[in-house]
């Protein structure tokens, strides 16, 4: 069944979009990520113009993050204070990102930069996760106990001034790295149309040493707001949010997420991380392929002469 | 030119001079077209459409009509807008947009229907004179001082891309005579057809000679919800964004209520 997208100005298949949303939702429920990093590339593969894919991806991320954050809020596995500080940085980063986004679009280099950012970040994050999870699997096989958090062991980040106490995370840390991390992810969120969970989660665990149990909830909490802010900014500046497209993806996504979560509970942590790593790498390779392989046509048209 | 066209029509060659002479005696032929609607609405299930235009010849010479020597070309031209053509080249192994050329007033879409193959109606020069057909649309670069070779390359690329996306199309046999003076043109509206005022033009040829043209206007617009959403997004971007966020939150919340498993 075809449906006409009012903003993308094209006709698409409803079931393809529902299935796309469902599949990504399933994976995001399974792995506890927002799924924006999968949705945006998938939309681009489906010939949705990248500027619309990015802005609409951000809109879709709100739904899945909100749904996920609710669960964490109930379980109290969410640090509102840490999330708010991250968010303050995130808003600044997202505003900057939207300006850069509009500039790149005028320049005609948006598609390239979006793809390059995806390849770089997905490649690095996927690669690191795969290494880490394979190591963890090897260690657990040889019977060693593993703990990501080693109390008392501090890195350079913990020597910065302007310290603040985050009770829920049992953390006493400078606000500078927290704000910087928030800003960096907000920036990426508005250029790539992602929530940034796939960078936020490892950064909180490895850099700030936030306990794993509050990481996902906190990350989801701040993603809701950054993604909401990004959606509004894009809609104001570029008019590139397609609500019909976003809604179809959300419906598929929230349904898929619940089933994914059940499957996720049956798999072991390091296996789950290894699978996610491979998925992330696969998307990166697919996007890299498009960058390096001669396109079907080297010419492209854009409207308005700008 | 006329001689050229006559030579092409090999089967009827012998009869043509007679017919031609007779047509000149009567009052001149005229062509008219009528649209069943002056508005086409794009609704949520729009996936391209076929537009039918009816038309009639006035004072058609019955003999020429019987011999099928009247030809009609109908064109539906979309609104014109500036277009930028970009070219990718390989930089360090990566395909990057490096060159670009802006053209003024490029028709968004160009759908053509003909009674017969273009070369059987008139010669290339005739099409060029009338600026008829995707290949003859006049493309004016924003910077006319540019290298003519580059401009030619980019205008060819523009036509090629427009054809590849179905926005420029040619339908041979798309115009059919229903009787000696009545004809029907079927034009293709691509799924991504631009909204705005389109112009339908019909060209009448006799024995390869262009006689007359007529035109009519057609408005293509988004209907109902699509139209309102589009306008709302353009005029009230911020409020649209806030509503998009609220929809997402409600969907996320409902999704959890309905599907929750914990």
């Amino acid at each position: 069944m075809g449906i006409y997208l009012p903003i993308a100005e094209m006709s698409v298949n409803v079931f393809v979009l529902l299935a796309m949303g469902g599949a990504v939702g399933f994976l995001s429920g399974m792995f506890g990520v927002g799924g924006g990093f999968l949705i945006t590339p998938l939309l681009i593969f489906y010939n949705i113009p990248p500027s619309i894919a990015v802005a609409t991806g951000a809109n879709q991320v709100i739904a899945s993050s909100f749904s996920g954050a609710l669960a964490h809020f109930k379980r109290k596995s969410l640090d509102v204070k840490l999330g708010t500080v991250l968010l303050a940085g995130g808003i600044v980063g997202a505003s900057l990102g939207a300006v850069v986004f509009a500039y790149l679009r005028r320049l005609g280099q948006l598609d390239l930069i979006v793809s390059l950012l995806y390849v770089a970040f997905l490649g690095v994050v996927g690669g690191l996760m795969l290494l880490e999870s394979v190591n963890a699997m090897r260690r657990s096989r040889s019977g060693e106990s593993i703990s990501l958090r080693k109390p008392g062991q501090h890195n350079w980040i913990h020597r910065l001034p302007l310290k603040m106490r985050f009770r829920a995370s049992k953390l006493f840390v400078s606000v500078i790295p927290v704000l910087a991390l928030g800003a960096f992810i907000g920036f990426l969120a508005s250029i790539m149309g992602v929530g940034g969970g796939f960078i936020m989660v490892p950064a909180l665990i490895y850099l700030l040493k936030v306990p794993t149990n509050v990481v996902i909830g906190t990350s989801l909490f701040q993603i809701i707001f950054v993604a909401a802010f990004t959606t509004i900014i894009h809609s104001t500046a570029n008019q590139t949010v397609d609500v019909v497209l976003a809604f179809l993806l959300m419906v598929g996504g929230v349904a898929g997420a619940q089933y994914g979560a059940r499957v996720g509970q049956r798999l072991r942590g390091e296996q789950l991380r290894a699978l996610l790593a491979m998925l992330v790498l696969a998307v990166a390779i697919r996007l890299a392929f498009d960058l390096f392989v001669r396109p079907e046509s080297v010419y492209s048209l854009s409207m308005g002469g700008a | 030119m006329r001689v050229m066209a006559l030579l092409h029509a090999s089967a009827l060659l012998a009869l043509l001079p007679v017919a031609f002479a007779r047509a000149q005696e009567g009052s001149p032929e005229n062509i008219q077209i009528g649209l069943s609607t002056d508005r086409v609405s794009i609704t949520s299930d729009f996936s391209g459409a076929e537009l039918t235009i009816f038309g009639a010849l006035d004072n058609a010479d019955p003999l020429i009509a019987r011999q099928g020597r009247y030809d009609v070309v109908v064109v539906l031209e979309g609104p014109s807008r500036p277009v930028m053509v970009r070219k990718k080249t390989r930089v360090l192994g990566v395909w990057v947009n490096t060159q670009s050329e802006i053209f003024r007033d490029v028709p968004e879409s160009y759908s053509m229907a003909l009674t017969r193959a273009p070369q059987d109606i008139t010669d290339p020069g005739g099409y060029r004179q009338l600026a008829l057909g995707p290949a003859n649309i006049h493309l004016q670069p924003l910077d006319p001082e540019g290298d003519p070779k580059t401009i030619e390359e980019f205008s060819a690329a523009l036509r090629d891309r427009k054809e590849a996306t179905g926005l420029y199309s040619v339908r041979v046999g798309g115009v059919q005579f229903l009787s000696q003076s009545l004809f029907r043109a079927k034009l293709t509206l691509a799924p991504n057809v631009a909204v705005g005022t389109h112009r339908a033009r019909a060209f009448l040829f006799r024995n390869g000679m262009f006689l007359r043209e007529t035109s009519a206007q057609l408005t293509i617009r988004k209907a109902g919800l699509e139209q309102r959403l589009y306008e709302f997004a353009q005029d009230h971007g911020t409020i649209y964004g806030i509503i998009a966020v609220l929809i997402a939150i409600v969907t996320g919340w409902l999704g959890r209520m309905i599907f929750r498993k914990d």
Side-chain angles (χ1 to χ4, degrees), chain A residues 4 11 109 235 241 292 299, chain B residues 44 46 88 90 97 153 237 240:
Chain A
Y4 185 82
S11 194
Q109 303 299 356
S235 159
V241 179
F292 291 103
Y299 301 98
Chain B
S44 61
F46 184 79
K88 282 194 169 85
R90 215 166 191 160
N97 283 328
E153 177 196 344
Y240 176 94

Side-chain angles (χ1 to χ4, degrees), chain A residues 3-4 6 9 11 59 67 74 108-109 235-236 239 241 243 258 291-292 294 297-300 302-305, chain B residues 44 46 82 84 86 88 90 93-95 97 102 108 153 157 161 222 233 237-238 240-241 244 248 252 256 259-260:
Chain A
I3 189 161
Y4 185 82
E9 304 198 288
S11 194
N59 192 7
S67 192
K74 240 183 193 163
Q109 303 299 356
S235 159
T236 308
Q239 288 94 36
V241 179
V243 279
Q258 313 301 324
L291 282 177
F292 291 103
R294 187 184 172 83
S297 167
V298 297
Y299 301 98
S300 61
S302 74
M303 282 222 293
Chain B
S44 61
F46 184 79
M84 181 186 251
R86 293 197 170 93
K88 282 194 169 85
R90 215 166 191 160
V94 176
W95 289 91
N97 283 328
I102 300 176
E108 290 267 319
E153 177 196 344
R161 288 290 86 204
K222 294 174 195 177
T238 310
Y240 176 94
R256 186 159 158 70
F259 295 103
R260 100 164 117 195

Side-chain angles (χ1 to χ4, degrees), chain B:
Chain B
M1 260 190 286
R2 188 191 307 156
V3 180
M4 286 274 292
L6 288 176
L7 286 175
H8 283 296
S10 51
L12 298 166
L13 194 58
L15 291 170
L16 280 171
V18 185
F20 189 63
R22 197 184 288 190
Q24 273 179 331
E25 289 158 19
S27 45
E29 293 94 332
N30 206 350
I31 183 170
Q32 284 174 0
I33 51 171
L35 301 174
S36 56
T37 171
D38 56 0
R39 242 169 226 186
V40 171
S41 297
I42 294 180
T43 51
S44 61
D45 55 356
F46 184 79
S47 55
E50 197 169 69
L51 180 74
T52 306
I53 297 175
F54 285 98
L57 307 186
D58 289 339
N59 304 322
D61 186 310
L63 181 60
I64 299 183
R66 225 174 299 135
Q67 290 163 351
R69 287 310 301 168
Y70 281 118
D71 280 301
V72 174
V73 177
V74 180
V75 164
L76 185 72
E77 200 176 321
S80 292
R81 268 167 227 178
V83 166
M84 181 186 251
V85 185
R86 293 197 170 93
K87 186 186 180 182
K88 282 194 169 85
T89 49
R90 215 166 191 160
V91 179
L92 300 171
V94 176
W95 289 91
V96 185
N97 283 328
T98 47
Q99 287 168 279
S100 66
E101 190 75 50
I102 300 176
F103 292 94
R104 284 195 255 197
D105 304 329
V106 179
E108 290 267 319
S109 57
Y110 192 94
S111 181
M112 178 157 101
L114 315 98
T115 39
R116 282 185 284 177
Q119 67 272 20
D120 295 338
I121 295 176
T122 187
D123 55 296
Y127 289 109
R128 219 173 301 130
Q129 251 178 358
L130 295 165
L132 189 56
N136 296 315
I137 297 170
H138 182 59
L139 295 174
Q140 195 188 2
L142 189 66
D143 170 27
E145 308 292 286
D147 177 20
K149 227 177 180 173
T150 320
I151 290 171
E152 197 180 315
E153 177 196 344
F154 278 80
S155 40
L158 194 159
R159 291 193 178 98
D160 175 67
R161 288 290 86 204
K162 286 281 192 187
E163 273 166 29
T165 47
L167 285 169
Y168 286 9
S169 65
V170 174
R171 210 158 150 173
V172 173
V175 181
Q176 278 181 322
F177 275 99
L178 302 173
S179 72
Q180 284 190 2
S181 60
L182 192 66
F183 66 86
R184 180 181 60 196
K186 283 187 173 170
L187 294 157
T188 316
L189 293 183
N192 47 351
V193 67
V195 293
T197 305
H198 291 238
R199 195 153 69 110
R201 289 188 294 164
F203 298 81
L204 176 64
F205 293 86
R206 181 187 61 201
N207 294 328
M209 282 285 292
F210 168 65
L211 287 183
R212 216 167 283 276
E213 89 167 81
T214 178
S215 70
Q217 296 221 329
L218 175 76
T219 306
I220 295 186
R221 51 171 208 168
K222 294 174 195 177
L225 187 62
E226 286 72 29
Q227 169 68 0
R228 263 173 273 154
L229 279 176
Y230 179 80
E231 276 174 8
F232 195 69
Q234 294 294 323
D235 302 342
H236 308 281
T238 310
I239 303 172
Y240 176 94
I242 292 169
I243 294 172
V245 169
L246 292 178
I247 292 174
I249 288 177
V250 171
T251 314
W253 179 73
L254 278 180
R256 186 159 158 70
M257 292 295 118
I258 297 166
F259 295 103
R260 100 164 117 195
K261 299 279 187 267
D262 52 344

Side-chain angles (χ1 to χ4, degrees), chain A residues 184-252:
Chain A
F184 177 65
I185 289 178
F187 182 77
L188 290 181
S190 64
I191 290 189
M192 297 166 73
V194 294
F198 71 102
I199 303 168
M200 179 70 92
V201 170
L204 288 179
I205 295 176
Y206 298 110
L207 291 178
L208 297 181
K209 314 276 182 200
V210 178
T212 319
N213 60 330
V214 296
V215 161
I216 292 179
T218 308
S219 157
L220 286 175
F221 169 79
Q222 80 96 37
I223 284 171
I224 299 170
F225 293 96
V226 172
F229 184 72
T230 309
T231 305
I232 295 169
I233 287 259
H234 275 306
S235 159
T236 308
N238 307 310
Q239 288 94 36
T240 43
V241 179
D242 197 310
V243 279
V244 175
L245 178 59
F247 185 69
L248 288 172
L249 295 173
M250 286 173 209
V251 170

